Amino acid sequence: GAPTRPRVLIADDQPAILDALRLLLMDEGFDVQHARSPEQVLQLAQAQDFDVVLLDLNYARDTTSGKEGLDLVLKLQALDAALPVVVMTAWGSVEGAVEAMRRGARDYVEKPWDDARLVATLRTQVELARALRVARRLEHENRALRRDAAASVELIAHSAAMQPVLRLMERVGPSDANVLVTGEHGTGKELVARWLHASSRRASRALVAVNMGGLSDGVFE
């Protein structure tokens, strides 16, 4: 279906700025919620899902240090590390931008803002966050599938001599390393190969077994 409207949480202690941002972003197709204090930001972020947060760095009267906003960035990251935060301040500086990014902010905008740049910044962060969430979900699902596939390969190996082999298999299986399995006939080389395949990132693809002893040099080439 059609993508849902991006949900943005905006935070500033000045009603006029909140109104201007709300009208701008609603006209651009955003679903907008607003807050006037760090406490309200955290309450809303805990109660609802947002695609991006746009917050001012200063809230206390006559304060220009940005400390409240910088602390709020850390708290939002603790709630959801995948939630992009864009910070905004009239007291912009290189040091403030660096500190905001160090604490987890994804971008930094100075007041007065440029409408087109602000909207583009928010849209970019929304798309990046959505792509990241999809990638993480797929990777989680793939890990679960690999675990299930590996569990379906019955490997009975309880002896002390096999424990280092099992630990090595657990390390190598998820990697892209080439593996040579050696051993006497009947010791379970193909079983080990199937276990490694089932635990790899290629578990959803076919495992093709070839009897190399049955091929001449010319055919193999």
Side-chain angles (χ1 to χ4, degrees):
T4 59
R5 298 174 64 191
R7 304 197 72 227
V8 57
L9 171 60
I10 57 176
D12 198 291
D13 66 344
Q14 300 182 45
I17 290 179
L18 281 178
D19 286 342
L21 288 171
R22 184 173 56 83
L23 291 174
L24 168 65
L25 297 177
M26 287 179 64
D27 285 344
E28 292 292 335
F30 287 83
D31 181 359
V32 183
Q33 294 282 335
H34 66 272
R36 295 186 59 183
S37 70
E39 292 76 20
Q40 288 181 333
V41 171
L42 291 176
Q43 289 172 1
L44 286 169
Q46 288 174 325
Q48 303 179 42
D49 292 326
F50 293 96
D51 292 297
V52 63
V53 177
L54 173 65
L55 59 85
D56 188 61
L57 287 181
N58 298 297
Y59 294 88
R61 186 178 299 276
D62 300 325
T63 296
T64 61
S65 67
K67 182 179 184 303
E68 285 181 305
L70 291 172
D71 289 344
L72 184 54
V73 171
L74 283 178
K75 292 175 181 177
L76 287 170
Q77 288 295 294
L79 280 178
D80 182 1
L83 175 64
V85 177
V86 177
V87 295
M88 177 184 293
T89 179
W91 305 91
S93 67
V94 174
E95 292 80 8
V98 170
E99 182 62 18
M101 302 290 277
R102 189 184 71 81
R103 298 194 184 199
R106 302 290 179 83
D107 213 330
Y108 189 90
V109 178
E110 281 190 56
K111 297 176 182 175
W113 63 85
D114 175 80
D115 285 356
R117 180 183 181 278
L118 175 59
V119 171
T121 296
L122 294 178
R123 289 194 188 282
T124 297
Q125 293 304 327
V126 167
E127 293 303 316
L128 288 173
R130 286 181 173 178
L132 179 61
R133 285 192 172 99
V134 169
R136 287 180 174 174
R137 186 180 72 249
L138 290 175
E139 177 58 25
H140 177 76
E141 291 173 355
N142 286 338
R143 282 200 301 267
L145 288 173
R146 290 198 296 269
R147 286 195 301 269
D148 292 344
S152 68
V153 178
E154 186 177 3
L155 184 64
I156 302 174
H158 300 302
S159 68
M162 280 299 296
Q163 299 315 302
V165 177
L166 295 177
R167 289 194 294 270
L168 179 60
M169 289 165 58
E170 290 172 353
R171 294 200 305 271
V172 172
S175 76
D176 289 326
N178 295 320
V179 180
L180 175 64
V181 182
T182 62
E184 297 296 328
H185 179 70
T187 55
K189 296 187 295 299
E190 184 175 347
L191 190 60
V192 168
R194 292 189 180 281
W195 191 98
L196 290 172
H197 174 71
S199 63
S200 75
R201 285 179 287 186
R202 293 174 295 279
S204 60
R205 302 179 184 177
L207 171 64
V208 181
V210 179
N211 178 12
M212 299 303 295
L215 299 179
S216 66
D217 292 343
V219 173
F220 175 56
E221 290 180 6

